[in-house]
């Protein structure tokens, strides 16, 4: 990009990368600064637009996926909207609050360059200098560009550079870059004579093309999370009748699935989504007595997990198909990996239209399909990887050093203060990278917090204190689940929201009565902006 460095620079206060649900939430909250939002596609909605199947639905209840000041229309409709209904909702929100005027569609960010500002010098040589001394993060709007952003439009190969005082990354953890397994030499995709694709490719197919790909084919789906489960069901539905072929799921790591949000007749939110339930779980920086209390209450916490597991083992044929995880349900919930299994999934398995192949070791390709470490072979015409996405790689490809190396410093996941600010990356925020039970609500509340921070309504603590806080959060995640790198705060999400509210000078207890405060779930509507 050096050849473009002398091109005219368009300067603005705030830039936002991505127009998914986090991007439009950030744009709405920061609208008084006239932010420029760069969206690589021609649409808002992020993964709901380009990473959804024909059958994709919301995993959480409709009322848990709702902006605080923009209720869903038609509350008597399905509790689990389709991806098309969600896209319409997001579009309506963006139109209602005039967010679209800030968005530059078909504009891909291809490089970001640090040009100095605050307590960080232009050469980035003093990035960690303030840590040991408890340095200050610096001004978020210093009055001059801190970041320069190179943007390429879909219609042109030319690069336009923009200068921003503050940059908000909202290009998300999912979509764009597929996460693919590696294989031994001469045993990878190049030897396979069938069709190989990732769910990212499958999502681009319309219903007719998807059916044509799957019908009458020996399909192998690699994975056992929500996208893999939905895909296997679509495959089974496309292969009804005597000429249909079963879909084989290659399962390496098992995860708990739930059929609905009631456990032995009790609403699911009672177990994890109220103040009373989250009181049982460890939270960051909670002090000695709270830590001791959590230890004393651990039998109750484990009992709740076993209670839920007993229902799932009774309701679903997990033992029959060898799909019962060895780890606790709580570990999956603490890492935001609990998935709703479609109603017809196991009935299709009972009919033989979905079969399961557990793989505890390595596997690779041969010309006719997949070969496993135990020398067994699985024939396949089509292999689809439902192996997730590499969201951090998206940022790493455009962010300069040394910031690129700091993204996962020092624990393998991004240390984000209040789920938003990386203490060692100046004048940049990350919205939508820390998962929760309700990601839309989390992104909106963090955007509200960020808006007040930008306007100097409150100050960040020192770099040292922010790092200490984030590292303690990571240690709590490590103690909660082996899947901690998912970076999920589901077991202490209310405490996290409390901290955001307290920073903004809001009351952290948002309910109208003590009973509701203790026993009701928190939702987006509870955090409507205070005047």
């Amino acid at each position: 990009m050096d050849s473009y460095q002398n091109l005219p620079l368009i300067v603005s206060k705030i830039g936002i990368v991505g127009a998914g649900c986090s991007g439009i939430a950030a744009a709405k909250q920061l609208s008084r600064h006239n932010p420029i939002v760069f969206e690589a596609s021609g649409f808002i909605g992020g993964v709901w637009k380009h990473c959804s199947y024909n059958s994709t639905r919301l995993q959480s209840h409709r009322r848990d996926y709702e902006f605080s000041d923009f209720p869903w229309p038609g509350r008597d409709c399905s509790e689990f909207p389709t991806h098309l209904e969600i896209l319409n909702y997001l579009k309506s929100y963006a139109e209602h609050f005039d967010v679209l005027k800030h968005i530059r569609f078909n504009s891909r960010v291809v490089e970001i360059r640090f040009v100095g500002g605050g307590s960080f010098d232009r050469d980035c040589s003093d990035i960690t200098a303030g840590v040991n001394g408890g340095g200050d993060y610096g001004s978020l709007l210093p009055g001059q560009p801190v970041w320069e952003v190179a943007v390429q439009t879909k219609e042109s190969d030319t690069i336009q550079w923009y200068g921003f005082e503050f940059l908000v990354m909202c290009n998300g953890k999912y979509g764009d870059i597929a996460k693919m397994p590696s294989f031994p030499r001469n045993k990878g995709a190049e030897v396979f004579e069938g069709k190989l694709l990732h769910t990212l490719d499958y999502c681009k197919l319309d219903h007719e093309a998807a059916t044509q790909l799957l019908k009458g084919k020996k399909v192998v789906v690699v994975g056992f999370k929500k996208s893999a489960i939905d895909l296997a069901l679509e495959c089974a539905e496309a292969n009804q009748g005597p000429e249909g072929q079963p879909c084989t799921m290659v399962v390496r790591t098992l995860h708990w699935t739930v059929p609905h949000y009631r456990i032995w007749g009790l609403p699911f939110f009672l177990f994890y989504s109220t103040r009373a339930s989250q009181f049982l779980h460890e939270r960051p920086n909670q002090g000695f007595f709270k830590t001791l209390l959590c230890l004393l209450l651990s039998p109750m916490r484990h009992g709740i997990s076993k209670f839920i597991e007993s229902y799932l083992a009774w309701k679903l044929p997990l033992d029959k198909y060898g799909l019962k995880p060895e780890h606790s349900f709580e570990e999956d919930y603490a890492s935001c990996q609990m998935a709703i299994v479609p109603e017809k999934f196991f009935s299709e398995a009972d009919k033989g239209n979905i079969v399961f192949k557990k793989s505890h070791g390595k596997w690779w390709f041969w010309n006719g399909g997949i070969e496993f470490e135990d020398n067994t072979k699985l024939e396949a015409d089509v292999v689809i990887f439902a192996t997730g996405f590499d969201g951090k790689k998206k940022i790493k490809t455009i962010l300069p050093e040394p910031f690129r190396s700091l993204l996962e410093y020092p624990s393998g996941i991004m240390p984000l203060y209040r789920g938003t600010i990386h203490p060692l990356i100046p004048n940049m925020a990350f919205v939508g990278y820390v998962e929760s039970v309700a990601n839309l609500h989390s992104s909106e509340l963090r955007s509200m917090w960020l808006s007040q921070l930008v306007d100097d309504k409150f100050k960040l603590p020192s770099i040292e204190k922010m790092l200490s806080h984030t590292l303690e959060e990571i240690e709590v995640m490590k103690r909660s689940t082996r899947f901690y790198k998912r970076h999920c705060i589901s077991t202490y999400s209310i405490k996290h929201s409390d901290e955001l509210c307290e920073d903004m000078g809001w009351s952290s207890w948002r309910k109208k009565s003590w009973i509701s405060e203790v026993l009701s779930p928190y939702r987006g509507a509870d955090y409507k902006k205070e005047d």
Side-chain angles (χ1 to χ4, degrees):
M1 295 297 174
D2 289 341
S3 60
Y4 299 104
Q5 64 184 8
N6 295 320
L7 289 177
L9 189 72
I10 298 176
V11 178
S12 186
K13 283 185 178 294
I14 296 176
I16 299 173
V17 181
C21 63
S22 297
I24 62 174
K28 189 255 186 179
Q29 298 301 328
L30 294 165
S31 60
R32 63 189 166 281
H33 295 288
N34 293 313
I36 299 176
V37 183
F38 301 111
E39 169 54 44
S41 73
F43 312 91
I44 65 170
V47 294
W48 291 113
K49 180 63 180 180
H50 59 265
C51 292
S52 296
Y53 309 153
N54 296 305
S55 62
T56 300
R57 287 181 172 271
L58 186 65
Q59 282 285 281
S60 53
H61 284 291
R62 174 193 295 256
R63 57 184 175 271
D64 290 324
Y65 196 88
E66 182 176 70
F67 290 106
S68 62
D69 53 1
F70 194 74
W72 273 89
R75 287 177 173 269
D76 55 342
C77 297
S78 169
E79 288 190 327
F80 301 97
T82 66
H83 72 284
L84 294 177
E85 290 176 309
I86 294 168
L87 285 171
N88 287 333
Y89 173 69
L90 296 176
K91 181 182 178 183
S92 297
Y93 172 85
E95 291 175 342
H96 180 78
F97 291 107
D98 202 19
V99 171
L100 297 177
K101 68 181 182 183
H102 301 295
I103 303 175
R104 308 280 177 94
F105 290 106
N106 299 309
S107 299
R108 180 178 295 277
V109 173
V110 294
E111 183 182 357
I112 298 174
R113 189 163 57 196
F114 180 68
V115 293
S119 58
F120 301 84
D121 65 27
R122 185 182 180 91
D123 296 325
C124 310
S125 58
D126 255 352
I127 297 303
T128 59
V131 177
N132 293 331
D136 180 57
Y137 184 84
S139 173
L140 272 70
L141 295 177
Q144 61 186 27
V146 174
W147 298 100
E148 290 181 352
V149 178
V151 179
Q152 184 175 33
T153 60
K154 190 174 183 180
E155 298 79 12
S156 173
D157 291 332
T158 60
I159 301 293
Q160 174 64 60
W161 283 92
Y162 295 78
F164 296 107
E165 299 174 44
F166 191 76
L167 198 57
V168 188
M169 305 299 292
C170 299
N171 50 346
K173 297 171 66 173
Y174 305 108
D176 294 335
I177 298 180
K179 183 183 292 184
M180 300 287 283
S182 58
F183 299 99
R185 186 177 181 182
N186 298 323
K187 291 185 178 182
E190 69 278 359
V191 304
F192 179 51
E193 296 178 355
K195 188 171 181 61
L196 177 68
L197 62 161
H198 188 272
T199 52
L200 186 60
D201 307 303
Y202 180 82
C203 290
K204 298 174 183 177
L205 304 177
D206 59 27
H207 180 70
E208 182 178 350
T211 300
Q212 186 176 357
L213 173 72
L214 303 174
K215 188 173 183 179
K217 308 289 195 341
K218 297 174 183 176
V219 180
V220 173
V221 176
V222 181
F224 193 67
K225 293 183 183 178
K226 179 59 179 172
S227 59
I229 291 171
D230 284 347
L231 178 53
L233 181 58
E234 287 198 9
C235 181
E237 291 176 339
N239 280 280
Q240 300 295 310
E243 297 182 358
Q245 296 283 345
C247 173
T248 303
M249 300 188 74
V250 175
V251 183
R252 182 173 182 179
T253 303
L254 293 170
H255 293 285
W256 290 97
T257 58
V258 299
H260 45 66
Y261 283 110
R262 297 194 75 83
I263 304 295
W264 295 118
L266 298 174
F268 186 84
F269 69 76
L270 287 176
F271 302 107
Y272 291 106
S273 301
T274 66
R275 281 195 185 276
S277 60
Q278 294 203 352
F279 190 75
L280 301 175
H281 296 270
E282 184 181 4
R283 61 185 70 179
N285 306 290
Q286 62 185 359
F288 172 77
F289 290 106
K290 181 63 172 66
T291 301
L292 179 62
L293 186 59
C294 275
L295 182 62
L296 294 174
L297 294 175
S298 60
M300 183 180 297
R301 187 171 66 249
H302 296 318
I304 289 172
S305 185
K306 292 296 182 184
F307 181 73
I308 295 173
E309 291 166 30
S310 69
Y311 176 77
L312 299 179
W314 171 78
K315 184 69 175 178
L316 303 174
L318 302 180
D319 288 321
K320 176 181 177 180
Y321 292 109
L323 298 177
K324 186 176 180 179
E326 294 183 0
H327 59 268
S328 68
F329 176 84
E330 182 180 335
E331 283 201 62
D332 273 348
Y333 187 84
S335 54
C336 294
Q337 295 194 101
M338 181 191 76
I340 295 286
V341 63
E343 184 178 353
K344 297 180 181 179
F345 180 77
F346 281 112
S347 63
E348 290 297 331
D350 291 338
K351 291 188 290 186
N353 293 332
I354 300 175
V355 296
F356 307 97
K357 169 66 176 177
K358 287 195 287 185
S359 171
H360 298 293
K362 296 180 180 179
W363 60 270
W364 48 85
F365 284 99
W366 60 289
N367 61 357
I370 290 175
E371 182 176 357
F372 298 91
E373 203 169 38
D374 61 3
N375 296 322
T376 59
K377 290 186 175 182
L378 182 62
E379 293 185 357
D381 300 311
V382 180
V383 175
I384 307 177
F385 286 94
T387 47
F389 304 92
D390 194 342
K392 289 173 189 166
K393 190 174 182 179
K394 288 194 293 183
I395 305 177
K396 288 178 179 179
T397 57
I398 58 176
L399 203 63
E401 289 289 5
F403 305 107
R404 186 184 307 154
S405 301
L406 294 172
L407 284 177
E408 298 176 300
Y409 170 85
S411 59
I413 61 177
M414 293 173 67
L416 295 178
Y417 180 72
R418 299 296 193 247
T420 308
I421 296 292
H422 193 305
L424 299 180
I425 302 181
N427 296 68
M428 182 177 285
F430 299 82
V431 180
Y433 291 88
V434 181
E435 295 188 60
S436 183
V437 290
N439 289 329
L440 180 70
H441 152 63
S442 297
S443 292
E444 183 190 27
L445 188 57
R446 289 177 191 139
S447 295
M448 293 177 178
W449 178 89
L450 185 61
S451 174
Q452 291 206 19
L453 177 64
V454 167
D455 289 343
D456 284 329
K457 298 292 180 64
F458 60 91
K459 295 290 186 182
L460 291 171
S462 68
I463 294 174
E464 185 178 27
K465 288 183 179 178
M466 286 193 290
L467 271 178
S468 176
H469 189 281
T470 57
L471 296 181
E472 172 60 21
E473 284 188 343
I474 292 169
E475 289 304 312
V476 169
M477 293 177 200
K478 286 182 177 180
R479 291 191 288 268
S480 300
T481 174
R482 70 195 69 185
F483 310 111
Y484 69 92
K485 288 190 178 181
R486 293 274 301 186
H487 207 167
C488 171
I489 60 166
S490 61
T491 56
Y492 60 90
S493 59
I494 296 176
K495 173 66 162 55
H496 176 79
S497 297
D498 287 350
E499 291 172 335
L500 295 171
C501 288
E502 289 164 3
D503 286 347
M504 293 187 287
W506 295 5
S507 170
S508 58
W509 285 43
R510 315 291 297 175
K511 301 289 188 179
K512 295 181 179 180
S513 70
W514 284 86
I515 295 177
S516 297
E517 189 65 56
V518 173
L519 298 177
S520 296
Y522 262 98
R523 299 190 168 102
D526 294 310
Y527 293 93
K528 192 169 183 178
K529 185 181 293 186
E530 295 184 357
D531 296 328

